[in-house]
Structures are given as C-alpha cells and as structure tokens.
Amino acid sequence: MVFFVVLSLFSLFTTTISSSIFVSASSLVDDLHVLVALKQGFLSPEPALTSWNSSNPSSPCSWAGVFCSQERVFSLDLTDLDLGGSVSAQVSRLDMLTNLSLAGNNFTGGIEIDNLSSLQSLNISNNQFSGGLDWNYSSLSNLQVFDAYNNNFTALLPLGVLTLEKLKYLDLGGNYFNGKIPESYGKLVGLEYLSLAGNDLQGKIPGLGTCYSLTRVRLGQNYLNGSIPNGFIYLPELNLAELQNNYLSGSLPENGSMKSLTIADFSFNDFSGKLPESGQFTVFNASSFAGNPQLCGTLLNNPCNFTTITRAPGKAPGDFKLIFALGLLICSLIFATAAIIKAKSFKKKGSDSWKMTAFQKVEFSVSDILECVKDGNVIGRGGAGIVYHGKMPNGVEIAVKKLLGFGTHSHDHGFRAEIQTLGNIRHRNIVRLLAFCSNKDTNLLVYEYMRNGSLGEALHGKKEYAYTLRVDEKSDVYSFGVVLLELLIGRRPVGDFGDGVDIVQWSKRATNNRKEEVLCILDPRLTMVPREEAMHVLFIAMLCIQENSIERPTMREVVQMLSEFPRHSPEFQSSSSSLKTLEKEKRLS
C-alpha cells in the first residue's frame, strides 16, 4: 500500500512538472506560429527575414527583430525592412508584446491591433495601410505611443483613443481623415504630443484647455476655420504650435498668453489685425506669419497705421499720396528681392523653395549659404552629414552642415522646434548655431566657423544632438547608450565607420538588431567577457538608442536592468574588472 501511495504521489509530482513545462514551451511555440503566419502574409520577406526559419523552432528569440523575455516575445521591430503585403490579425496573439514597430515598409490593406494589454508603443507609420482606425482601444490599456503617420487611412478620427488613459504621443498626420476634430480630444489629459497635420479635417479647433501636458501640437495643412480657441492659447507647457495652411481667422493672441511657446507657424491662413510685438512674438520669424494679407506690423514690413490717415471730403492730401507711393515702392522692392532669391534658389535646387530661420543677427542670405555647398568646400564628413566651409560677403566665416537622412519620406516629430531651442543655447563650450535652412529635400545647419578643430569634435559631447538633432528629457539616456556601444566596440562614435555612418547606425547593421550577434562587433580586448554579459549590455544599449525618445527606458530603469544580470559567478567578476580597466584606459588615452 505504501508503495502505491508513493507511486501515486510521484506520478502526480511529475505530471505537475511536465504540465508547467508544457505551458511555458507551448506559449513560446504559439509565438513562433504567429511569427510564421505573419511572414507568410509578407511580400519580399527575404533577405530581411531569412532567420525566420520554422525548421528551427527552438530559437525564435534569435530571429531578426524579435526580442524575448522570460521565454516570451515582448518586442517586435520590423522597421525599414522594405516589406510589403499585409499584416495578419494573428499579430494580436503575441499577447506579451510591449513594443510593436512596423514602420517604414510598404504594407497595404487594413490593420487592426487589439487584446494586447501590455503594449506600450505601437508604430505603424510610413506605410500604405488603408481603411479606418476604429479599433477596440480598451484592450490596449497600457498604450503610451501611437504613431500612424503617413498612411492612407480615411473616415473620421477614431474616438476610441479616448479610452487610452496613459497615451502620451498620438500622430495621425499625413492621412486622409475627414470631418471635424472631436471636442472630446480635449479630454486626453496626459497627452504630450498631438499631430493631425496633413489630413482633410474641417471645422473649428476644439478646446484643448484640459490637456495640460501638451508640449507640441501640429494641425497644419487641413481645412480648419474659425479662431484660435482660448483653451489652446493658454496651455501652460505648449512650446510648438503649427497651424499653417488652414482657413483660420481672427486676431492673434496678445502678449501674456502662450508664454512657453518657442516656435510657431501661423502662415497661410486668414488672420487679421495687428501682430503683437512683445513677449514670445519677438522670437518668431516673419515667415511664421506669411500668407496672411490682413495681418500688419513692423515685423511684416506692413505698418498698421498708414491706411488710417483721414482725408478731407473730395480731396486726398499729398501726405497720403506720398505714403501710398512709398508703400508701393517698398512692396515692389520686397517682391523684387524675393524674386531674385527665389531665382537663385531655383538655380541651385530646381523648383524647390528654401526657408531660412536665423537664431542670431546675420548679414547673409540663403543664396549666400548655398554658394558654399559645393565639393571644393568640404571640410568634414560625419554621422550627421557633410560639413562645408564658406565665407560670407561681409567676410564672416561659417560652417554649413548638410544633414543626411532627411527628405520627403521622413517626418520630423518636433525637429524644427528642437532646432529652435538649440539655436537659443549660449555656452562657451558649444559652437553657436546661427541659422537653419530647409526645403522639402534638404536641411542645412549654419554654424560659426571654428578654425581650430572640426565641427564633429566640437559636438562630440552632445551625442544625440550630433547624430539626430533631437534634444529632450531622454537625450541623456541616448548618450548613455552610445557610451555602452563605445565600451563594447572600442571605437569612437564617428569617423571610423565610413562616410555618413556613425556607431549607432553601424552597430544596428552589423548585428541586424540582434543581441546574439554581439561577437560581430565586440572589442578584441574583451575576449574574456562572457558572451551572455556582452549580449545583456548590447540589449540595454539598443533600448537606450531607440529613435523615438518615448520608447527609451528611464535612467532608473537602465540601472535596474544593469543590476538584474547575475553577479555571483567568478566569470562575471573578472569581466566586470575588464570593463572597468578598459574604460580607464580609454579615459587616459
């Protein structure tokens, strides 16, 4: 009897263990089947997804773009892989996903994401998805970032996003949404970034007075009308507002409102009245108000009082005629000058028009800058672009950086606002940004020329600024990720990887975004470091250098991830010493 009892208990014990192992394995196997189903719906999946081989079911976590934690797929990143076809609804079976990026491909048809309660970041931008976005957003309760920019979505703006209480970043721009902006969008109290630009939206701007966290709003290139609502004007954190190319009317807000605003675009609307000449309006460029013929003010070279001169009945005084004639002459000179600049711009860049934003008092024009951008003036190349040396007509020497990787296909997510902020920085150790020039294909940064040293060396200490021209509260996290890559690879961030390639781009290409390929980039002096430790550090570095700053961890989370790696083994202790020794050597060299 005792024997049978023991045998029964043993059988129950082994069954329980087998059952738990089966559940864990079947969950990972389920994820594998989902990935295989996704690949079957893609066009041209090779060679980008060659590693997605169902004949090797034991290692889906080593597949390109797939990241696992605790034997489950928690991140899927298929950004810029030139994939086509459709995205199967099976993707919603990856129920442990926290990050999903399908951006920068050629996916078509409809898409619906639901039942992913752990999902925090969803990026489907720069594709050809169509249909609507009327999803079950309540099943995406942890979503913080939703980027659907530059697709072919139609119908009305989705109301379901109102259930996303943690939403911070919403970009529905560059689509064909129509109708009005729902008034209820003003209840997205946690929202920090909102872009609805480049759609077919009509009606008035809703009151956004309860969206206290909003820092950037883009509503340009629609068919919006009416005046700017008070709730929008008094948002306490707002530093970027783009309302250009609409049918907005009324007067612009007086001084005392929009105190935090650092960049704005009110151009090509129907605003009227006097342009405020104090407060935040002193930092804006005249181009921010172009295309509003009923606006007047000294910044626009359109005095508000010359039409208010009274005249006696039946007789126009000579002063009025003189002022009127001078006004016509000034307008003629302005148009003539604009025509000359535009002609030179056409000569340089075909039919593309240039826009210049000056951050200092400068005595040169866009055409003067463009004369410098030629092969004979190249003085450096780096991860951000090509640097040219130039001398202005007044003798001032400048350095012009032509940025790589920005064009009609890319969108800036606040790029101009952050450039404006950088232009206002004053520090003895930071080279001054004089101006920013752009057209639809090219961006140029104009710096003061530093004769002793290269521009790349001057910018080396601000890593994310030097590479991507973005600065926000998580730029330090990005910089820390670059430092981790420097420690792993043993090379400087720029200059060692070829023209236009930096350590971030090179490491992503060399490893195909897979931590398992860390040995392909590891510094030969770190041969004693265990592969698992190097993989762990590379994984954290890749999280830190995410393109979207909201998708990066906080420094507190980075420290926690670094401390999670087992530290009890002798191998780890010796490898940690190696890392510290190598870091010390680099500081001394």
Side-chain angles (χ1 to χ4, degrees):
M1 176 64 71
V2 173
F3 171 77
F4 287 108
V5 171
V6 172
L7 183 63
S8 299
L9 290 173
F10 179 78
S11 175
L12 179 61
F13 177 72
T14 55
T15 302
T16 303
I17 294 177
S18 300
S19 176
S20 63
I21 294 174
F22 176 76
V23 170
S24 176
S26 65
S27 297
L28 185 58
V29 170
D30 285 345
D31 289 348
L32 180 144
H33 290 321
V34 171
L35 295 173
V36 171
L38 283 176
K39 182 179 179 181
Q40 291 173 348
F42 296 162
L43 295 177
S44 306
E46 308 295 342
L49 301 183
T50 302
S51 60
W52 288 33
N53 187 352
S54 59
S55 64
N56 184 17
S58 61
S59 59
C61 297
S62 64
W63 292 359
V66 179
F67 300 91
C68 296
S69 177
Q70 299 180 352
E71 295 299 315
R72 292 301 306 274
V73 175
F74 84 96
S75 177
L76 181 60
D77 188 351
L78 303 181
T79 304
D80 295 329
L81 295 182
D82 200 26
L83 301 172
S86 59
V87 177
S88 169
Q90 292 279 326
V91 70
S92 294
R93 291 182 56 201
L94 298 171
D95 57 347
M96 297 301 292
L97 276 183
T98 61
N99 172 68
L100 174 60
S101 178
L102 306 172
N105 290 288
N106 296 301
F107 292 125
T108 58
I111 181 173
E112 182 167 359
I113 307 294
D114 58 10
N115 296 320
L116 297 180
S117 59
S118 298
L119 193 65
Q120 297 178 17
S121 176
L122 175 60
N123 190 346
I124 57 175
S125 64
N126 290 307
N127 281 286
Q128 299 179 44
F129 289 120
S130 57
L133 288 176
D134 191 17
W135 300 347
N136 179 20
Y137 291 94
S138 60
S139 65
L140 306 174
S141 56
N142 280 299
L143 195 63
Q144 299 179 34
V145 177
F146 184 23
D147 191 343
Y149 174 84
N150 196 21
N151 280 281
N152 296 321
F153 291 118
T154 55
L156 303 177
L157 290 171
L159 290 174
V161 295
L162 295 169
T163 64
L164 301 174
E165 296 181 356
K166 298 182 179 180
L167 190 65
K168 296 181 179 179
Y169 184 106
L170 178 62
D171 193 340
L172 303 179
N175 286 284
Y176 298 94
F177 289 111
N178 53 61
K180 297 182 177 181
I181 302 175
E183 287 284 343
S184 52
Y185 271 34
K187 299 178 181 179
L188 294 168
V189 294
L191 202 62
E192 299 175 6
Y193 178 97
L194 173 64
S195 176
L196 305 176
N199 282 289
D200 296 326
L201 300 173
Q202 302 176 358
K204 297 182 177 181
I205 299 174
L208 300 173
T210 58
C211 299
Y212 300 116
S213 301
L214 267 179
T215 60
R216 292 178 287 176
V217 177
R218 288 190 162 112
L219 302 178
Q221 297 174 318
N222 280 289
Y223 300 94
L224 302 174
N225 56 37
S227 59
I228 301 176
N230 287 334
F232 182 87
I233 294 172
Y234 292 101
L235 289 173
E237 303 295 330
L238 189 67
N239 58 56
L240 179 146
E242 293 182 354
L243 305 176
Q244 75 278 8
N245 292 92
N246 280 289
Y247 295 96
L248 299 172
S249 57
S251 59
L252 291 172
E254 294 293 333
N255 184 33
S257 57
M258 298 194 296
K259 293 181 179 179
S260 61
L261 201 62
T262 57
I263 188 168
D265 194 345
F266 302 105
S267 62
F268 297 98
N269 280 283
D270 294 324
F271 292 117
S272 59
K274 183 179 181 180
L275 183 66
E277 298 177 357
S278 59
Q280 292 302 105
F281 284 90
T282 60
V283 304
F284 301 147
N285 219 309
S287 59
S288 298
F289 309 100
N292 291 280
Q294 298 183 64
L295 269 182
C296 60
T298 55
L299 180 64
L300 304 175
N301 289 323
N302 181 25
C304 293
N305 57 353
F306 82 91
T307 57
T308 62
I309 299 175
T310 58
R311 59 186 178 90
K315 183 179 180 180
D319 287 345
F320 176 80
K321 294 180 180 179
L322 178 59
I323 293 174
F324 185 74
L326 288 174
L328 288 177
L329 178 60
I330 292 172
C331 291
S332 301
L333 289 173
I334 292 172
F335 282 117
T337 303
I340 292 172
I341 294 175
K342 189 172 183 180
K344 289 186 177 181
S345 178
F346 282 156
K347 185 177 180 180
K348 283 282 182 182
K349 296 294 291 182
S351 60
D352 299 337
S353 58
W354 287 88
K355 176 181 178 181
M356 179 171 120
T357 302
F359 305 113
Q360 320 286 336
K361 184 177 180 181
V362 296
E363 298 180 1
F364 50 80
S365 64
V366 174
S367 58
D368 295 326
I369 296 170
L370 295 178
E371 288 293 335
C372 306
V373 183
K374 50 190 176 184
D375 292 340
N377 292 345
V378 174
I379 57 173
R381 299 174 186 269
I386 304 171
V387 183
Y388 304 84
H389 172 254
K391 196 169 186 179
M392 298 294 95
N394 61 352
V396 173
E397 292 183 282
I398 62 171
V400 181
K401 175 169 282 190
K402 181 180 180 182
L403 300 180
L404 302 176
F406 293 87
T408 54
H409 188 65
S410 64
H411 52 296
D412 62 11
H413 289 310
F415 175 78
R416 291 177 183 274
E418 287 144 5
I419 284 291
Q420 179 84 24
T421 301
L422 292 168
N424 293 327
I425 292 176
R426 303 287 186 274
H427 194 280
R428 64 172 182 261
N429 293 327
I430 299 178
V431 65
R432 285 199 306 164
L433 179 62
L434 302 178
F436 170 59
C437 306
S438 65
N439 64 9
K440 69 177 183 179
D441 293 321
T442 309
N443 289 317
L444 302 176
L445 294 175
V446 183
Y447 294 93
E448 62 179 348
Y449 179 63
M450 295 184 65
R451 186 169 295 277
N452 297 322
S454 69
L455 188 60
E457 290 170 349
L459 295 176
H460 179 67
K462 288 181 130 297
K463 290 183 174 68
E464 183 176 18
Y465 168 41
Y467 299 154
T468 64
L469 278 303
R470 298 185 179 96
V471 172
D472 60 18
E473 67 276 6
K474 288 191 177 177
S475 291
D476 287 339
V477 177
Y478 186 99
S479 298
F480 185 73
V482 175
V483 171
L484 290 180
L485 291 178
E486 289 183 70
L487 291 173
L488 283 171
I489 300 171
R491 298 160 74 175
R492 288 177 56 82
V494 293
D496 295 338
F497 308 99
D499 292 344
V501 180
D502 58 51
I503 195 171
V504 172
Q505 298 164 334
W506 181 83
S507 59
K508 287 182 177 180
R509 295 175 188 173
T511 62
N512 199 18
N513 285 317
R514 295 175 59 207
K515 64 180 181 180
E516 290 77 14
E517 301 296 329
V518 66
L519 296 181
C520 297
I521 63 173
L522 192 64
D523 188 336
R525 293 173 290 177
L526 296 179
T527 54
M528 299 301 295
V529 174
R531 179 172 177 267
E532 291 75 16
E533 179 184 347
M535 286 170 52
H536 187 67
V537 174
L538 178 60
F539 173 71
I540 296 172
M542 289 300 184
L543 291 178
C544 292
I545 58 175
Q546 291 282 331
E547 180 177 355
N548 192 329
S549 64
I550 297 180
E551 296 176 7
R552 300 173 199 156
T554 63
M555 281 306 300
R556 182 184 295 274
E557 292 168 335
V558 170
V559 172
Q560 182 179 356
M561 286 187 288
L562 286 171
S563 63
E564 284 176 353
F565 193 84
R567 296 180 179 270
H568 56 271
S569 64
E571 292 84 358
F572 183 88
Q573 293 172 3
S574 62
S575 63
S576 297
S577 300
S578 300
L579 281 172
K580 292 177 181 177
T581 302
L582 178 61
E583 183 178 7
K584 184 177 181 181
E585 290 175 357
K586 289 180 178 177
R587 287 177 178 173
L588 294 175
S589 61

